[in-house]
Amino acid sequence: MIEVRTAQPEEFASILDMLNVTFFSDDTPEEKRDFLRLLPKLYKKEYAPWQSNYCVFEDGQPVAAVGMYVSELCFNTRGGFTSTPTQHRLKLGGIGNVGVAPNYRGKGYMKLAMNAAMQAMREQGCHLGELSGDRHRYRHYGFEHGGVHVKAEFSIINVNHSYGKGELAANWVAKPIQPEDIAQVQALIEAEPLHIKHDSAALHDILSSWREQPWAIWYGDKLAGRFNLSWDNKQVLQLQLAPWVDSLEQPLRALFALLPDEANITVNIPLWRNDLLALAKPVAENRGVFHSGQYYVLNWEKTLQALLNLQAQCKPLLDGELTVKIAGYAGDETLRIAVQNGLVSVTAHIGEPEKIMSHFDATSYFLHLVCPERTCAVAQQWFPLPMYLWSFDTV
């Protein structure tokens, strides 16, 4: 007998065993992984992971599972350089641990579990979905690459050439994040124009995702930033600095002091952090623009409104309007997208639209780095939209 359903609490240990065998049976002993250590924020019992896993059972035995984890995207933006602050909320569905037990592949079980997870995403009112994985595998379910961030690479040679040879100043120090630091770290994260709302009691587990070690950078007793060290202590990941930091010299020296000789540091910078982009410009060895993830838009009206408001915080937007009809996976939407005096408006449109798009055409038009169909001036200037998630918020 085949069942497709969420798991029960008493079943989850066997589901976790199945997933660990499915994903990590080829790991070497030195690099051995398991989902509980990899993503404690999702798989600890106190977070009730069984409620978020859509499983296939064959004769009572779990043989496939897909996790669908819902969180709240918070936008603290102005919608324009001179407008008053606005707050938007999007419900985000993250897809993870898509796995089928080795002896049960080829029976369509992944499709059954994935369809159940995607149906739950719609039923729970998610506006946007995200995942990472093989592009064409997940394109079948509506996901496509999109969003944007700048990747900047630094070496100690860059630092010394830019600032002169020197040492880490005594009042700058990097230390592992302690329980008493959590409130300040959470405030730093939630000061970003785009962030996920976190339970402070779970934040250390969240920051420890992907076997990383959460650290903080201090200037005296003032929190200057946060970052993660990789599990092998060889890489700095997810560097985030407070807006008052006006030079990269001391933060970078603090990081290089923790790394092996000749190590480089690669930093992902969201486009809404113009201050960090400006600080990185004269120092970085290389800078490039990359997609930030794979996304699936279920509600284009609300997603475009929130992300265009965010775009207006990154740069002044040209005045203009577009009318589009999107044949979305979750239903058709006909929209008027307008900017006037820097203020963004996305509303339902009655009448013939200028452009008719499929779901994937729309994803390309609004979210891809390069889209040949963006021929009008406003589309070329407004898009791609600056969607970005810190990797500790991915699943």
Side-chain angles (χ1 to χ4, degrees):
M1 184 178 71
I2 306 300
E3 289 183 279
V4 183
R5 57 174 174 81
T6 53
Q8 296 299 313
E10 64 274 13
E11 297 171 323
F12 197 71
S14 59
I15 291 167
L16 206 51
D17 288 343
M18 181 270 294
L19 288 170
N20 288 332
V21 169
T22 299
F23 282 89
F24 308 130
S25 57
D26 293 333
D27 282 5
T28 64
E30 307 82 56
E31 297 185 354
K32 189 65 178 175
R33 296 167 292 172
D34 64 71
F35 273 107
L36 184 57
R37 285 185 293 175
L38 196 67
L39 288 166
K41 65 174 184 175
L42 301 183
Y43 300 106
K44 278 189 171 180
K45 288 182 179 179
E46 51 261 49
Y47 306 135
W50 48 86
Q51 297 176 355
S52 301
N53 271 265
Y54 299 83
C55 306
V56 178
F57 294 84
E58 184 178 289
D59 297 328
Q61 178 76 17
V63 295
V66 173
M68 198 285 288
Y69 305 91
V70 177
S71 54
E72 186 180 46
L73 274 178
C74 303
F75 295 78
N76 297 323
T77 58
R78 290 186 172 275
F81 272 23
T82 60
S83 63
T84 56
T86 59
Q87 289 192 335
H88 290 276
R89 298 288 185 269
L90 294 181
K91 190 177 281 191
L92 176 72
I95 295 288
N97 63 257
V98 181
V100 180
N103 294 333
Y104 293 87
R105 292 170 185 167
K107 297 185 176 185
Y109 289 163
M110 176 204 156
K111 185 177 290 186
L112 289 175
M114 191 72 184
N115 285 340
M118 295 303 293
Q119 180 62 28
M121 191 184 294
R122 291 186 285 270
E123 290 175 352
Q124 293 185 41
C126 291
H127 303 102
L128 184 67
E130 69 84 20
L131 54 67
S132 60
D134 179 79
R135 179 192 176 207
H136 288 92
R137 184 186 202 188
Y138 293 108
R139 200 173 190 271
H140 176 76
Y141 298 95
F143 290 88
E144 182 58 287
H145 290 294
V148 59
H149 67 271
V150 173
K151 186 172 290 188
E153 184 178 330
F154 304 90
S155 71
I156 192 62
I157 294 173
N158 303 142
V159 175
N160 289 333
H161 275 303
S162 298
Y163 303 110
K165 287 189 176 181
E167 301 293 332
L168 178 64
N171 52 353
W172 286 83
V173 63
K175 299 187 294 187
I177 291 174
Q178 302 300 316
E180 61 268 23
D181 305 330
I182 287 296
Q184 290 188 71
V185 172
Q186 184 166 16
L188 178 71
I189 293 168
E190 293 183 358
E192 296 283 352
L194 171 57
H195 61 273
I196 284 180
K197 186 70 175 177
H198 300 113
D199 179 354
S200 59
L203 187 55
H204 197 277
D205 283 339
I206 292 166
L207 294 174
S208 302
S209 296
W210 313 112
R211 292 195 298 173
E212 296 172 10
Q213 308 163 57
W215 284 60
I217 303 173
W218 298 90
Y219 174 67
D221 60 358
K222 192 174 182 181
L223 182 67
R226 51 147 296 273
F227 65 96
N228 279 10
L229 276 181
S230 61
W231 67 274
D232 58 3
N233 297 320
K234 293 181 179 180
Q235 295 182 71
V236 163
L237 308 160
Q238 302 186 55
L239 176 63
Q240 180 188 7
L241 296 177
W244 58 264
V245 175
D246 60 4
S247 170
L248 294 183
E249 179 182 6
Q250 295 303 325
L252 288 175
R253 291 196 188 283
L255 301 180
F256 280 116
L258 299 172
L259 297 176
D261 291 343
E262 309 302 324
N264 287 349
I265 294 172
T266 300
V267 177
N268 291 339
I269 306 175
L271 291 192
W272 61 81
R273 288 302 303 267
N274 281 312
D275 56 335
L276 294 184
L277 293 171
L279 294 179
K281 180 180 176 181
V283 187
E285 180 68 26
N286 295 298
R287 290 173 295 140
V289 182
F290 296 85
H291 283 136
S292 66
Q294 290 166 265
Y295 303 105
Y296 165 61
V297 180
L298 294 94
N299 186 310
W300 282 101
E301 180 179 347
K302 292 187 180 299
T303 299
L304 289 174
Q305 178 72 62
L307 287 173
L308 262 175
N309 268 11
L310 184 61
Q311 186 76 294
Q313 188 146 316
C314 300
K315 60 184 179 181
L317 299 183
L318 292 174
D319 282 2
E321 73 170 55
L322 295 169
T323 56
V324 298
K325 181 178 181 179
I326 303 169
Y329 267 51
D332 294 353
E333 295 183 65
T334 303
L335 303 172
R336 175 181 178 269
I337 307 163
V339 177
Q340 186 173 14
N341 297 323
L343 298 179
V344 173
S345 172
V346 182
T347 56
H349 175 71
I350 298 174
E352 288 298 314
E354 301 166 54
K355 300 182 73 66
I356 298 176
M357 305 178 180
S358 70
H359 170 82
F360 288 111
D361 289 340
T363 304
S364 175
Y365 196 83
F366 298 120
L367 291 170
H368 273 210
L369 284 171
V370 178
C371 176
E373 290 73 33
R374 289 199 294 254
T375 55
C376 67
V378 291
Q380 291 178 353
Q381 200 262 341
W382 293 350
F383 311 122
L385 295 170
M387 179 62 194
Y388 178 79
L389 294 174
W390 296 105
S391 63
F392 62 74
D393 279 327
T394 62
V395 301

